[in-house]
Amino acid sequence: RLLDLDADPEAVDDLLRADERLAPLVDKAPGRRVPRTVDADEFAVRAVLGQQVSTAAARTLAARLVTA
């Protein structure tokens, strides 16, 4: 479930291509998966940190947050 390995990527792509706004994105990167996480709150914090600074800095800040 975490890696979404039981999904049928072709069926997902077909469904998403039905939306005219999503079709070009699906065609550009078919079969793309959305990463999952065990902890949604942690994922949200990491996403926000990753938007604000570099990946390396986000890792450092996340480690400091966990330590605190």
Side-chain angles (χ1 to χ4, degrees), residues 11-48:
V12 172
D13 287 351
D14 290 343
L15 183 65
L16 293 176
R17 275 192 191 100
D19 184 299
E20 64 185 39
R21 292 168 291 180
L22 293 178
L25 300 173
V26 174
D27 291 337
K28 185 176 179 181
R32 180 168 289 179
R33 296 178 183 275
V34 176
R36 304 264 197 250
T37 182
V38 175
D39 186 332
D41 294 330
E42 176 188 358
F43 188 71
V45 169
R46 286 182 176 274
V48 170

